[in-house]
Amino acid sequence: MNFKTLLFLFLTMGILISSGTINPVVYAAPIYNQTLDTEVGGNVYLNPLIGSYLEQNSLNTIDFNLENGSRVYRFGNGKGKKILICGGIHGDEVQGSLTVISFLYYLKSHGNRGTIYLIPFAIPIDTEKNTRKYNQSGTVYDPNRRADIPGTPVNKILNFAQDHEINYLIDIHSGTGVSEQGMVYYGNEFEEKWASSISNQTGCVMQTNPVNGTLRSEASTRNIKALTLEVEKIDQGVDGPVQTELNILKKACAYLRVI
């Protein structure tokens, strides 16, 4: 290959990268983060499964002190494809939160394309108490059934997504009666293709999720393409489900070409 050919290729790649046609991998600088919701603060380390897992897996260099509210962590400069990944909407589903934290550390060492926002603990006070239901001024309810109601914690996440022009959203959960390989919930045609690619690579089960008021379904009404990931949490411990869900999450992000 002669000098003129090399120069042409170099200049062409520069043009494609600067125009956004090609998004280069960006390795993480100090993580940018901001407070999201000051009304849901709690000490997540009081949930014994959180501290022990982070310590055992050397995921303890970032302090998740969330007594002043939930936080959003950003990788990227706000440009390119924008993805929001959320865990901990249900405080008794620690596997989901730990999956998001594990992915945060993965991005920290491997880098990413575009911009990825992470919310490991959507409602820290519920993670502290290890409870599924949220108590909002005496009204107790499932927070993932009221994403469409202004002022609720999940509605605030939805508004953040819209304000930051999020293109894709992934909501991370753990539950009961889930396949050992995990599950992916989808809604529209694009989401079905996205879920199908993940299922083909991981063996996870695909299922539609028409329930109104969830983060996934309400994001879809705002033209944000969204999936819900879920793994089994009963009698499976923590390590196995987290690794299963982390693998599914990586495949979901690889499909979008952001990792």
Side-chain angles (χ1 to χ4, degrees), residues 30-52:
I31 302 169
Y32 171 86
N33 67 90
Q34 68 181 81
T35 300
L36 174 63
D37 186 352
T38 58
E39 296 182 1
V40 297
N43 185 352
V44 300
Y45 293 106
L46 292 179
N47 186 317
L49 292 175
I50 299 295
S52 61

Side-chain angles (χ1 to χ4, degrees), residues 159-188:
N159 289 337
F160 175 91
Q162 190 163 36
D163 291 344
H164 289 77
E165 300 179 335
I166 297 298
N167 307 116
Y168 307 94
L169 186 148
I170 304 174
D171 187 18
I172 313 290
H173 288 260
S174 61
T176 59
V178 181
S179 163
E180 186 176 344
Q181 289 75 35
M183 186 169 288
V184 179
Y185 294 95
Y186 66 91
N188 59 40

Side-chain angles (χ1 to χ4, degrees), residues 14 49 54 100 130 163 179 191 245:
L49 292 175
L54 298 181
V100 178
N130 199 49
D163 291 344
S179 163
E191 293 164 5
E245 197 155 39

Side-chain angles (χ1 to χ4, degrees), residues 119-181:
I119 305 173
F121 300 98
I123 308 177
I125 186 61
D126 286 355
T127 300
E128 174 187 324
K129 296 178 178 180
N130 199 49
T131 180
R132 177 182 178 87
K133 299 293 181 70
Y134 177 61
N135 187 332
Q136 187 168 21
S137 302
T139 301
V140 180
Y141 59 87
D142 183 335
N144 206 31
R145 297 296 183 271
R146 296 196 178 188
D148 55 332
I149 299 178
T152 61
V154 183
N155 183 260
K156 293 177 183 179
I157 294 171
L158 194 59
N159 289 337
F160 175 91
Q162 190 163 36
D163 291 344
H164 289 77
E165 300 179 335
I166 297 298
N167 307 116
Y168 307 94
L169 186 148
I170 304 174
D171 187 18
I172 313 290
H173 288 260
S174 61
T176 59
V178 181
S179 163
E180 186 176 344
Q181 289 75 35

Side-chain angles (χ1 to χ4, degrees), residues 27-247:
Y27 290 92
I31 302 169
Y32 171 86
N33 67 90
Q34 68 181 81
T35 300
L36 174 63
D37 186 352
T38 58
E39 296 182 1
V40 297
N43 185 352
V44 300
Y45 293 106
L46 292 179
N47 186 317
L49 292 175
I50 299 295
S52 61
Y53 183 88
L54 298 181
E55 185 69 30
Q56 290 168 12
N57 291 276
S58 300
L59 304 177
N60 51 8
T61 60
I62 298 172
D63 182 13
F64 294 102
N65 181 352
L66 302 173
E67 294 184 84
N68 293 325
S70 59
R71 300 191 71 80
V72 183
Y73 300 81
R74 188 188 76 197
F75 289 84
N77 59 7
K79 299 180 180 179
K81 291 180 181 178
K82 302 179 185 68
I83 295 89
L84 174 62
I85 299 169
C86 180
I89 286 179
H90 293 136
D92 63 341
E93 299 178 5
V94 298
Q95 292 86 351
S97 289
L98 293 172
T99 296
V100 178
I101 290 175
S102 298
F103 190 62
L104 185 154
Y105 276 90
Y106 173 84
L107 294 178
K108 192 170 182 289
S109 60
H110 289 79
N112 63 283
R113 299 179 180 88
T115 301
I116 300 178
Y117 297 90
L118 302 171
I119 305 173
F121 300 98
I123 308 177
I125 186 61
D126 286 355
T127 300
E128 174 187 324
K129 296 178 178 180
N130 199 49
T131 180
R132 177 182 178 87
K133 299 293 181 70
Y134 177 61
N135 187 332
Q136 187 168 21
S137 302
T139 301
V140 180
Y141 59 87
D142 183 335
N144 206 31
R145 297 296 183 271
R146 296 196 178 188
D148 55 332
I149 299 178
T152 61
V154 183
N155 183 260
K156 293 177 183 179
I157 294 171
L158 194 59
N159 289 337
F160 175 91
Q162 190 163 36
D163 291 344
H164 289 77
E165 300 179 335
I166 297 298
N167 307 116
Y168 307 94
L169 186 148
I170 304 174
D171 187 18
I172 313 290
H173 288 260
S174 61
T176 59
V178 181
S179 163
E180 186 176 344
Q181 289 75 35
M183 186 169 288
V184 179
Y185 294 95
Y186 66 91
N188 59 40
E189 183 178 354
F190 175 89
E191 293 164 5
E192 183 176 10
K193 292 179 180 178
W194 188 10
S196 179
S197 174
I198 299 166
S199 178
N200 289 338
Q201 297 177 76
T202 66
C204 67
V205 175
M206 295 170 53
Q207 185 172 317
T208 57
N209 183 22
V211 179
N212 293 330
T214 66
L215 178 58
R216 194 214 63 75
S217 63
E218 297 305 321
S220 186
T221 67
R222 301 192 188 192
N223 297 316
I224 300 171
K225 299 173 179 66
L227 296 177
T228 298
L229 312 185
E230 190 162 18
V231 291
E232 179 62 49
K233 70 174 184 176
I234 302 297
D235 300 326
Q236 297 291 325
V238 175
D239 289 19
V242 169
Q243 291 308 309
T244 296
E245 197 155 39
L246 179 61
N247 183 45

